Amino acid sequence: MTENMISAQHLSAGYGHHVIINDQMIQIPTGKITGLIGPNGSGKTTLFNVLNGFEKPLAGEVRLSGHTVSDLTAKQRALKVACLCQHPTAPDGITVHELVGYGRYAHHVGLRHSKKVDSRAIAGAIEAVHLTTFTNRQVSSLSGGQRQRAFIAMTLAQDSPVMMMDEPTTYLDLTNQLQILSLLQELNQTLNKTIVIILHDLNQAAAYCQHLICLSGGQVKAVGTPREVLTQQLIADVFQVAAEVTYDQNQDCPQMLNCHPLEVVS
Amino acid sequence: MRWWQRHLAAILVGLLVIVMVANVLGGSRWYLLSELWSGTQTLSGKVIWDMRVPRMLASVMVGALLAVSGLLLQTLSHNPIADPSILGINAGANLALIVGGVAGLSSSIFNTVWLSITGAFIAFVVVMGLALSRQGVAPLRLILGGTVFSGFISCISYAISVMTNTTEQYRNLLVGGFSSSTYGQDKLLAIVLVIVVFGVWRFQSGFTLLAMDQQTTRGLGVSTGLLWQVAAGLIVLATAAAVAVGGNIGFVGLGIPQLMSAIRPGSFKQNFGVTLLAGGVFMTTADLIAKAAVPSVELPMAALSALFGGCLLFVMVVFGRQVVKV
């Protein structure tokens, strides 16, 4: 049995009286890339925001390596989970080095912090995302893919065991999408990060995630490896899409072909 | 980066020294530089050391405080147009001072301080309350609500002083100016300035991170609630002290941080120092113009400042800077 970095039983989440996730069990395995998939409005972002501690669950609790997430202070939480939202914005006129340095905030206690440790972490993070030659460039002068990598470096500098990202590839072209996903794979392998990502592209989710959680209408519909989760039946049930599912030589990476919608919604 | 961007702080310090000296020498009568050392026995020495120096010090510090509270407010609300005067915070402090005065409270420094802090605080709470929605502070509601509220409060201030025949007495408060500044007031401003600078310095990394979107800021481990309270406290304190001494002067908090970020774009941490200095330079220059431009007439500071702020806002709109982020 694999160990779980994050786990929650009987978890309910939502806003005010509006319950979106109702009484679900969620487990995020340690050291793997977990993908959250599901159609729009299925509760992915709501789940994302309780797992990372931004919102308190309506019922149940999220346990993160032995701690209850909602009991942690903002800084304690940030030391365990680094989070990148969909459209991060940076102030004008700052360099990549400064942006990545923001990731060190949670490590600063009062006004005391080690400049040495900070600058080593910053340089390491910039190197890990292959932006070393851009260290002193303005963030605003970078291309979309480079900027996203700079933000990933910022979350890396946070030096937390878990990294969570909400659709890290939106608005990027295909090359950059694949580069970002490969980068996450690299970070997972070399730095042993537990990574949770929300993805829309099922083929990318199948190729880059080792574990998938499929949500629909606030319910967990399927959990497991891509091969276990992404079946023709599930794609039809959850996404209302007919697709042929093929597999690569190793028989573990399903790919969807010839997709078309089952019902045309007027 | 150009050389003047790199040495912006040094340039501003130089400018500040020049305008501070010019402000002391200038006025309805100009003095010579040598008269600064003529001692306090002579008439010119008395005028310089008892009237002009405290006035100059007040204008420097009020300018710095207003500019910093504008910068804080813009960072907090994610909106480049936010300014304590636009949001009615100045007007609130102003009204409280006039109400207190009309109600018969003596205008001791202690009274003016607590009155203006109370007024500024209430106005801040009301405007923020108007702007709060489920997603946090709604920028458009903040600006519109603040502008309407500010106008409303200013009208009440005028109405009260007109009805009680005290417009002359409260001229300084209503139109702004430093003609009656004293060393006592300077002491008050200095204390507030130290508190504000220390508070900002202590929380500067947090404020810098607030400039990013809310989700990213929270992800980095910033407890936004605490920072909001600290910033609100500093804004109210800075604005209240500035109004208690200089009256209702608007647009400094809007214009100076804007100008600095146009000259040298940067983060909160990088811009704080130069904004502080530039606020002082601007206000001291404006005060010199107010007392020296037309002999024996004291120009209203609020009008001068609004003239500058209005022009700047106009330029911002014309040259397409995103003025209101929605």
Side-chain angles (χ1 to χ4, degrees):
Chain A
M1 216 185 102
T2 49
E3 211 184 316
N4 290 315
M5 179 63 87
I6 303 176
S7 63
Q9 316 245 333
H10 302 294
L11 182 73
S12 296
Y15 303 97
H17 295 293
H18 184 47
V19 179
I20 297 172
I21 305 280
N22 195 2
D23 200 20
Q24 298 296 303
M25 185 181 83
I26 306 288
Q27 289 175 328
I28 307 290
T30 308
K32 287 191 177 172
I33 302 184
T34 299
L36 295 182
I37 54 172
N40 289 334
S42 59
K44 296 187 299 285
T45 303
T46 311
L47 179 63
F48 187 85
N49 283 341
V50 285
L51 289 183
N52 65 18
F54 281 11
E55 306 284 344
K56 266 193 171 166
L58 297 177
E61 56 180 29
V62 177
R63 304 280 297 173
L64 196 163
S65 56
H67 303 271
T68 301
V69 170
S70 46
D71 290 348
L72 299 173
T73 64
K75 276 193 177 179
Q76 287 170 339
R77 193 197 65 224
L79 289 175
K80 299 187 189 307
V81 184
C83 212
L84 195 60
C85 66
Q86 256 187 63
H87 310 291
T89 53
D92 289 344
I94 65 163
T95 62
V96 171
H97 185 269
E98 277 175 271
L99 179 74
V100 176
Y102 290 174
R104 302 298 298 167
Y105 181 78
H107 291 268
H108 300 169
V109 182
L111 292 169
R112 282 180 294 118
H113 60 271
S114 159
K115 284 236 162 67
K116 233 189 199 161
V117 177
D118 274 4
S119 59
R120 214 181 306 133
I122 295 166
I126 294 175
E127 203 188 324
V129 301
H130 315 296
L131 277 180
T132 308
T133 46
F134 295 90
T135 303
N136 292 315
R137 283 272 293 273
Q138 303 267 308
V139 176
S140 50
S141 73
L142 300 180
S143 73
Q146 289 167 340
R147 195 172 315 164
Q148 186 68 333
R149 280 192 276 153
F151 277 108
I152 291 175
M154 179 184 83
T155 49
L156 263 183
Q158 231 168 302
D159 204 13
S160 58
V162 185
M163 291 173 77
M164 295 185 67
M165 304 192 180
D166 189 351
E167 293 182 39
T169 55
T170 356
Y171 298 117
L172 296 179
D173 59 29
L174 189 59
T175 327
N176 278 305
Q177 289 184 14
L178 296 176
Q179 272 178 7
I180 294 289
L181 291 169
S182 303
L183 174 65
L184 294 182
Q185 209 167 35
E186 205 178 299
L187 299 176
N188 168 251
Q189 281 158 7
T190 56
L191 304 172
N192 200 27
K193 298 273 185 193
T194 301
I195 297 178
V196 182
I197 38 179
I198 296 182
L199 282 178
H200 268 301
D201 188 313
L202 297 181
N203 285 333
Q204 289 180 354
Y208 288 97
C209 301
Q210 296 130 340
H211 186 77
L212 291 180
I213 297 175
C214 178
L215 289 173
S216 176
Q219 307 276 319
V220 176
K221 281 283 149 56
V223 180
T225 61
R227 190 183 164 83
E228 289 162 354
V229 172
L230 290 171
T231 59
Q232 222 157 359
Q233 188 62 43
L234 178 116
I235 295 163
D237 288 351
V238 171
F239 293 93
Q240 315 296 320
V241 166
E244 288 170 34
V245 180
T246 64
Y247 298 91
D248 65 357
Q249 306 96 309
N250 304 326
Q251 293 287 303
D252 53 328
C253 178
Q255 292 290 294
M256 273 57 56
L257 294 176
N258 299 326
C259 301
H260 54 89
L262 278 174
E263 355 171 344
V264 179
V265 185
S266 59
Chain B
M1 245 195 221
R2 305 279 172 78
W3 66 268
W4 45 268
Q5 282 178 316
R6 221 171 310 126
H7 301 290
L8 188 58
I11 295 170
L12 285 169
V13 170
L15 269 180
L16 186 62
V17 172
I18 294 170
V19 294
M20 279 167 80
V21 174
N23 185 293
V24 171
L25 298 180
S28 49
R29 185 181 161 234
W30 285 76
Y31 291 100
L32 295 169
L33 201 53
S34 57
E35 283 175 283
L36 282 181
W37 286 272
S38 60
T40 47
Q41 272 21 295
T42 59
L43 181 64
S44 54
K46 266 203 168 62
V47 171
I48 286 173
W49 291 102
D50 292 348
M51 290 167 71
R52 291 201 172 174
V53 171
R55 174 173 182 157
M56 176 275 289
L57 290 174
S59 67
V60 172
M61 290 188 282
V62 164
L65 284 172
L66 286 175
V68 167
S69 70
L71 180 66
L72 275 173
L73 209 48
Q74 288 161 16
T75 312
L76 265 198
S77 64
H78 283 249
N79 204 308
I81 206 178
D83 173 69
S85 70
I86 288 183
L87 299 188
I89 302 171
N90 292 26
N94 213 344
L95 177 62
L97 286 170
I98 290 174
V99 169
V102 170
L105 287 171
S106 71
S107 59
S108 68
I109 288 178
F110 176 73
N111 276 344
T112 52
V113 169
W114 74 258
L115 275 172
S116 62
I117 287 182
T118 312
F121 180 73
I122 293 173
F124 184 78
V125 170
V126 168
V127 173
M128 283 298 164
L130 284 174
L132 270 182
S133 69
R134 265 180 52 189
Q135 281 80 38
V137 174
L140 207 58
R141 291 176 68 134
L142 182 74
I143 301 297
L144 290 178
T147 311
V148 173
F149 187 69
S150 179
F152 175 68
I153 301 232
S154 298
C155 288
I156 299 182
S157 297
Y158 272 100
I160 290 179
S161 59
V162 168
M163 283 190 309
T164 53
N165 266 328
T166 47
T167 35
E168 206 39 53
Q169 191 182 337
Y170 297 121
R171 183 182 186 276
N172 254 359
L173 274 181
L174 291 168
V175 302
F178 299 99
S179 54
S180 52
S181 302
T182 63
Y183 279 118
Q185 290 177 327
D186 288 343
K187 239 182 253 164
L188 160 76
L189 287 171
I191 292 168
V192 171
L193 193 63
V194 168
I195 295 173
V196 169
V197 169
F198 177 78
V200 169
W201 175 75
R202 172 67 184 75
F203 291 94
Q204 58 172 343
S205 327
F207 290 140
T208 306
L209 264 51
L210 274 189
M212 301 208 277
D213 59 291
Q214 213 184 352
Q215 293 262 328
T216 307
T217 311
R218 290 181 69 186
L220 292 171
V222 179
S223 73
T224 38
L226 172 72
L227 280 181
W228 260 85
Q229 287 164 23
V230 172
L234 294 177
I235 290 167
V236 167
L237 188 64
T239 312
V243 171
V245 174
N248 194 0
I249 303 168
F251 290 106
V252 184
L254 170 72
I256 297 301
Q258 283 297 326
L259 201 62
M260 287 303 109
S261 78
I263 292 175
R264 195 187 70 182
S267 60
F268 178 89
K269 209 186 270 188
Q270 294 160 343
N271 281 358
F272 171 66
V274 289
T275 303
L276 193 81
L277 288 168
V281 171
F282 168 75
M283 195 53 90
T284 314
T285 313
D287 182 52
L288 179 62
I289 295 172
K291 63 183 178 179
V294 184
S296 75
V297 176
E298 182 80 35
L299 296 177
M301 185 57 100
L304 270 180
S305 190
L307 207 62
F308 161 78
C311 291
L312 194 85
L313 200 57
F314 182 75
V315 170
M316 275 166 64
V317 173
V318 168
F319 289 99
R321 284 200 63 165
Q322 197 182 2
V323 178
V324 178
K325 283 190 190 153
V326 185

